[in-house]
Every structure is written in C-alpha cells, then in structure tokens.
Amino acid sequence: MGIRLYDSAWVALRGVDTPQQVQKDRLNPAIFIIDGYRYDIDGRAFYVSETAPDILRLLSLQDARTLGLSTQYVAPKEILA
C-alpha cells in the first residue's frame, strides 16, 4: 500500500534526521513540497529529472504528537494576508 500526501502531514525522508512537514504548492495544486523537494500526491518526485529523497513513511497523528510536532493545519502567510 502506498502513501497519499496531504497538506500539513509529517513524513520521514531517507537521509534526513528530523521529520519534515508537507506543504501544498499554492501555485500548482498537484505538487507537494517537502524540505524544498517537489512530490506528487503519491509521494513520487514530481519531475523525473529531479532527484528527491524517498519518503520512508507518513507519520501518524500519534507519532507527531509524541515528537512534539504540530498536528494543526496552519494556513500559509500569503493566504492569511
């Protein structure tokens, strides 16, 4: 079973020590940005030519809470303005 990314989720990336939060690209809703890399909804690198670390797993809400990570959606500044 694969993963499905969503805005504000937390993921573990290969080669990155700390969990990273998923952000939806506001200019292209088909893209999710994690640690500066672009992924599609299924967690694959969005551009074939772009190398992006593999997503090892999507953290559960309980995992995020245990690590002290925010589990609340926070709207980007450009939406709040």
Side-chain angles (χ1 to χ4, degrees):
M1 179 180 195
I3 65 163
R4 286 291 215 190
L5 294 177
Y6 60 92
D7 203 15
S8 75
W10 289 92
V11 297
L13 294 177
R14 184 178 308 282
V16 179
D17 293 335
T18 58
Q20 299 296 308
Q21 192 166 37
V22 177
Q23 298 294 321
K24 191 152 193 77
D25 187 320
R26 301 296 168 217
L27 299 177
N28 185 343
I31 297 176
F32 292 87
I33 300 174
I34 306 170
D35 197 28
Y37 297 99
R38 294 176 208 91
Y39 295 86
D40 67 13
I41 195 167
D42 295 319
R44 298 177 298 233
F46 191 78
Y47 297 108
V48 176
S49 61
E50 181 179 275
T51 57
D54 293 332
I55 298 173
L56 300 176
R57 68 186 181 100
L58 187 66
L59 276 66
S60 69
L61 288 175
Q62 183 59 45
D63 289 341
R65 286 185 192 119
T66 300
L67 293 170
L69 304 172
S70 172
T71 57
Q72 301 297 313
Y73 173 79
V74 178
K77 293 176 189 172
E78 59 268 14
I79 292 177
L80 297 174

